[in-house]
Amino acid sequence: MKQILLFLSLTLTFSNNAQTPLKEIKIGSQTWVATNLNTSKFANGELIPQAKTAADWQKAGQDGKPVWAYYNFLPENGKKYGRIYNWHAVNDKRGLAPKGYKIPTDVEWKTLVDY
């Protein structure tokens, strides 16, 4: 199985319909997805709740609950930036990355930064 790193920063999007191949970019020895993550579902199909306000985001973090949000909580930012996810969504056992993809480890991030 091809391992592709999923880049979750604001520079890289894939849709909920990950049936189409994702654009990839090779950086050094690594292959990354070249678009922002933009899904409202875990890999198993379950919905990730949306945080519509900063207060929602903070409460989810305090309660240890996964959520996603639009950048600055503005839906119009979704098209450009995709969605952002709290740690609980990224680290959830249901999986955030689609099949064939994965969330990068600290070591993989360091390799990218060092490159």
Side-chain angles (χ1 to χ4, degrees):
M1 176 168 78
K2 177 167 77 169
Q3 289 203 355
I4 297 172
L5 303 177
L6 183 62
F7 193 48
L8 294 176
S9 85
L10 296 176
T11 59
L12 295 180
T13 274
F14 67 80
S15 71
N16 287 332
N17 309 332
Q19 303 299 329
T20 57
L22 303 179
K23 185 176 179 186
E24 301 169 3
I25 184 169
K26 184 126 174 130
I27 303 172
S29 62
Q30 299 171 311
T31 303
W32 295 81
V33 173
T35 53
N36 282 331
L37 183 62
N38 191 23
T39 186
S40 60
K41 296 178 182 178
F42 287 108
N44 72 354
E46 291 182 45
L47 289 176
I48 304 167
Q50 180 183 2
K52 294 182 180 180
T53 66
D56 291 347
W57 184 270
Q58 185 175 8
K59 180 160 178 26
Q62 290 169 343
D63 294 346
K65 304 287 184 185
V67 291
W68 67 267
Y70 292 115
Y71 180 67
N72 283 338
F73 306 99
L74 299 172
E76 58 269 25
N77 285 335
K79 189 168 189 161
K80 182 175 182 180
Y81 300 117
R83 294 177 175 136
I84 58 175
Y85 305 89
N86 71 0
W87 171 248
H88 303 291
V90 174
N91 200 41
D92 194 282
K93 66 182 178 184
R94 292 171 283 187
L96 190 58
K99 187 176 181 177
Y101 296 82
K102 68 185 190 94
I103 304 298
T105 65
D106 287 340
V107 171
E108 290 161 336
W109 276 110
K110 183 173 180 351
T111 299
L112 174 68
V113 169
D114 288 349
Y115 181 79

